[in-house]
Amino acid sequence: MLRTFDTHRIRRTTELGGLWDFTVLPNDTQTESTSKSAPGAAPSRKVTVPSCWQTYPGLENYRGQARYSTTFEAEGNIRLEFKGVSHFAHVELDGEVLGEHYNAYTPFVFAVPALGPGEHRLDVTVDNAFRDNYALNFPNDYMSYGGISRPVEVGFIPDTSIERIHVTPVAPAHEDGIDSGAGIWRARVEIWCRTLRKPRAGTRLALGVELAGRRIETDVTPGSGEYLALATTIDCPGVRPWTCEDPTLYPITATLLANGRPVDDLIDRVGFRTVRVNGEHIELNGKPITIRGFCRHEDHPAFGNALPPQAMQVDLDLIEDMHGNAVRTSHYPNDERFLDMCDERGILVWEENHARGMDEEHMRNPHFQTQAAQVIREMIETHYNHPSIVIWGILNECASNTAYGRECYERQYALIRELDASRPATSATCHMRDDRCLDLPDVVSWNIYPYWYEAKSATRMIDEQLAYTREHSGVGKPLIISEIGAGAIYGFRNRDKEIWTEEYQAITLRKQLTEAFANPTVTGVFIWQFCDVRVDREWWRVRAKRRNDKGIVDEFRRPKLAYDAVREVFGDIARR
Ligand code: ADA
């Protein structure tokens, strides 16, 4: 399943899961192993998709190219959707190139007209090497896995099909001037279609939309390629708003009719809620929120970055058990099933584009601007409807301290606002004394490590950051502590509570969180980080066992002593 619910009743789809053929391509490989030995020409083997090859015996450290192949039965038009290939994909169907996609964490689609009947062969060449033309991937403090790490689906589509629905809830008493003042919730609905072949003369195409007990139907004029086919507003009297405590979701069904006969459909879900910045607060449905959050990487020793839904549920169970109410998808867009689960549970999400720790040199890579813009576009286009996403994040700890860096931030903020004006945007900064971009975000976010990287209290660091923010045009905006935390090696305990022990981490987290929440200006905190994660080999000097071990649970999700400290502080804040 690509989502946690059925997205079609009319369109037939098949997930291309199960066993695929997998072959390492021997040319041009890099390796993560210290011996520098490449695996060589390995024979083909069967692997499950989705997965990542670091979980296949012998390839735990492989960095390079490999091919995944499968076959499927089809006839007519198809729509192939890849939810995530880590990190570059070259796709061929029956030996013909369909196209290429770079970036591990966003989906991509190929629509192919008029396939002949019978079995078809799909070959995907995947590359996870670090190369100059992959601007966002370089040795980093998380693992750049390789593989088809998210699900693949083939859909059987008519000549005109529904591609995407966007729904923007409009609150009854919204002051922004975008509602009608009707005293009820309304939904602005936009539907994109795709036409592979113009319909025969005389064919009447229409779109039907059902939402919250309402149904509308409108004729549509077929365009070519992908196009906005319908933009309308639907009154939704009597709906329950989506809140953290009561995360009510309503299905929206779009049906395409040809001469009155249903030929295609798409189902998504809507949560009626608004998010906006009001002075120093972020408000959900007009009420200020307090974030008790965790930064989370998609990482697991058994699955790499290809976590199955059961493992995602376990992570969310633990987060909820610690009284957490928010997740920051550091540092890339997440598997959409995880976002579905957040929608269902009322967990707030800061979803982030893919960019961590890029200095000006990284950002001057000639591919950076286009590749970063593409991630933002794909992230917002595909995840627009998730009510759980309350903030878009960009450019974690990048060059917000230089003039050129600022230009990049400006561009990305402009793009976000063009694609989605309904949510605030932010970027997590660590440039404590020289950030030049604090006027750009809607929310100012600081990554701070008191009692860890800095021998200072959280109280002092937050005061200093607030003073800096006020002097540098971030004044009057909400403030999030987007990272705070300390490392601990699971199982390392001693009576002296030394650095790296679980005791030290637990004591530190308690102090950090208590001090941060004591400051009334702080809108919330994201702990760095939920679980211990694997990092790229090049980080071995500062990461024992090649792990970033600031997790509150270890890589197997075993709670460290800090778990109960966080649980108590978050619990107190939740009851406040
Ligand atoms: C940074 C960064 C994280 C992680 C963290 C750490 O703030 O944003 O990705 O590297 O530091 O553990 O030091």
Side-chain angles (χ1 to χ4, degrees), residues 214-529:
R214 291 282 164 129
R215 181 170 200 289
I216 58 153
E217 194 177 308
T218 318
D219 283 357
V220 291
T221 320
S224 60
E226 206 182 297
Y227 54 93
L228 182 65
L230 177 72
T232 188
T233 299
I234 300 180
D235 287 349
C236 302
V239 293
R240 286 155 74 116
W242 185 95
T243 62
C244 295
E245 300 73 34
D246 179 16
T248 309
L249 295 167
Y250 292 86
I252 176 162
T253 305
T255 308
L256 185 74
L257 304 116
N259 297 328
R261 191 174 62 88
V263 290
D264 193 36
D265 67 344
L266 183 59
I267 302 166
D268 207 337
R269 299 189 304 196
V270 181
F272 287 89
R273 61 104 188 86
T274 55
V275 197
R276 70 176 193 140
V277 165
N278 187 5
E280 292 185 341
H281 298 292
I282 303 175
E283 294 181 344
L284 187 74
N285 296 328
K287 296 200 186 98
I289 55 172
T290 302
I291 290 166
R292 309 181 301 274
F294 292 86
C295 298
R296 174 179 173 273
H297 271 296
E298 292 179 319
D299 193 278
H300 193 290
F303 313 110
N305 66 342
L307 271 73
Q310 293 87 336
M312 298 176 192
Q313 295 282 14
V314 168
D315 286 0
L316 286 168
D317 286 347
L318 291 167
I319 287 169
E320 285 187 339
D321 183 57
M322 283 185 273
H323 304 290
N325 66 352
V327 173
R328 175 178 168 217
T329 71
S330 45
H331 300 296
Y332 36 77
N334 271 202
D335 188 311
E336 195 162 14
R337 294 169 298 181
F338 185 76
L339 301 173
D340 283 338
M341 291 171 196
C342 291
D343 293 343
E344 290 156 13
R345 290 170 180 246
I347 298 279
L348 307 171
V349 176
W350 156 331
E351 179 149 71
E352 186 154 307
N353 81 333
H354 181 202
R356 180 208 169 274
M358 302 184 83
D359 56 21
E360 179 160 335
E361 198 186 327
H362 287 120
M363 291 167 88
R364 282 194 182 272
N365 178 311
H367 303 281
F368 168 70
Q369 301 268 19
T370 42
Q371 291 178 344
Q374 186 185 327
V375 177
I376 290 176
R377 198 173 279 285
E378 290 172 346
M379 168 176 85
I380 295 182
E381 274 181 358
T382 52
H383 295 167
Y384 188 88
N385 293 338
H386 290 281
S388 57
I389 299 176
V390 291
I391 188 160
W392 298 118
I394 54 166
L395 296 170
N396 173 73
E397 296 192 350
C398 296
S400 52
N401 56 340
T402 71
Y404 172 76
R406 183 180 161 93
E407 267 174 59
C408 300
Y409 275 74
E410 274 172 345
R411 268 196 214 201
Q412 295 197 10
Y413 276 114
L415 179 61
I416 288 187
R417 287 172 184 137
E418 176 196 321
L419 295 170
D420 181 9
S422 75
R423 292 168 169 97
T426 191
S427 34
T429 176
C430 63
H431 293 293
M432 305 298 173
R433 284 156 212 95
D434 58 352
D435 196 291
R436 300 182 180 204
C437 295
L438 297 178
D439 56 320
L440 300 176
D442 303 302
V443 176
V444 171
S445 300
W446 288 104
N447 293 346
I448 59 170
Y449 286 86
Y451 306 112
W452 186 252
Y453 294 135
E454 302 254 0
K456 288 180 187 173
S457 69
T459 307
R460 180 159 160 215
M461 283 197 82
I462 293 169
D463 283 347
E464 283 173 6
Q465 291 331 122
L466 270 172
Y468 184 88
T469 305
R470 287 189 181 116
E471 282 158 25
H472 294 83
S473 57
V475 62
K477 296 180 182 185
L479 173 87
I480 291 179
I481 304 302
S482 37
E483 289 181 26
I484 202 164
I489 297 163
Y490 179 82
F492 179 40
R493 301 182 188 185
N494 67 32
R495 292 179 60 217
D496 286 342
K497 306 177 180 30
E498 285 171 281
I499 208 137
W500 296 113
T501 60
E502 289 194 35
E503 288 92 344
Y504 184 87
Q505 187 196 32
I507 293 165
T508 303
L509 258 299
R510 188 184 293 280
K511 284 195 292 195
Q512 289 172 333
L513 295 178
T514 309
E515 290 175 33
F517 283 115
N519 190 319
T521 317
V522 172
T523 292
V525 174
F526 287 96
I527 291 172
W528 187 269
Q529 59 180 335

